[in-house]
Amino acid sequence: MPLVTVTRRLTFNAAHRVHNPALSDEENTRLFGKCNNPNWHGHNYVLEVSLTGEPDPITGYVIDLGEVKRIVESEFVSQVDHRNLNLEVPFLQGTNPTSENIILACWRLLEPALRPGRLSRLRLWETENNYVEYDGR
Ligand code: NI
């Protein structure tokens, strides 16, 4: 059976500070540079949500991407958009909000919420030049 991957792109913006409280201020500055600014900085994030499956014989869809959009907005984007990721997002409390840690938290929320659709990959763009990917492994 042929498998097809479909992707929905969503955007949000948020503030954060990349900081590990277990390390000294000097070590944080050395490791994270400008991203450790104590007064925060912001990003226009782009999230790509991919699901893989066989096209339905009736609809021809793997999954309705409008439904994907609704689920991702309600389960994830609504919790992070226009927020401070260090202070205001319960599922990121106690984590250093790097893109790597954000995408792992995002997967934990979305993978069950999208079932029976099969989430196969998340890609999170933090800047035009930097993105991270996670496929559940
Ligand atoms: Ni940053």
Side-chain angles (χ1 to χ4, degrees):
M1 287 295 198
L3 295 174
V4 179
T5 296
V6 298
T7 300
R8 173 72 201 199
R9 181 178 176 274
L10 297 98
T11 61
F12 61 96
N13 59 67
H16 75 164
R17 178 192 191 195
V18 180
H19 182 79
N20 183 340
L23 303 175
S24 68
D25 288 349
E26 293 71 23
E27 193 73 352
N28 272 289
T29 301
R30 188 183 69 76
L31 285 171
F32 304 127
K34 287 194 298 186
C35 298
N36 187 242
N37 175 19
N39 292 319
W40 324 106
H41 65 277
H43 293 285
N44 294 315
Y45 289 96
V46 177
L47 176 66
E48 296 173 12
V49 179
S50 297
L51 296 100
T52 299
E54 295 166 16
D56 181 274
I58 305 296
T59 63
Y61 287 161
V62 170
I63 190 167
D64 179 347
L65 286 174
E67 183 64 16
V68 172
K69 170 182 182 281
R70 283 188 289 279
I71 292 168
V72 176
E73 282 183 341
S74 71
E75 298 295 319
F76 179 73
V77 173
S78 65
Q79 298 198 67
V80 293
D81 191 31
H82 287 70
R83 301 292 175 89
N84 181 309
L85 301 178
N86 298 73
L87 301 180
E88 296 182 282
V89 178
F91 62 80
L92 291 174
Q93 288 312 293
T95 59
N96 188 4
T98 59
S99 291
E100 290 86 336
N101 285 329
I102 297 167
I103 205 171
L104 291 173
C106 182
W107 183 282
R108 285 193 289 271
L109 290 172
L110 292 184
E111 194 277 328
L114 289 165
R115 286 180 204 156
R118 185 163 76 78
L119 182 61
S120 55
R121 189 189 69 195
L122 293 175
R123 179 180 283 175
L124 180 66
W125 293 82
E126 189 179 74
T127 71
E128 286 181 7
N129 299 318
N130 296 345
Y131 69 82
V132 300
E133 283 184 338
Y134 185 60
D135 65 6
R137 283 179 287 179

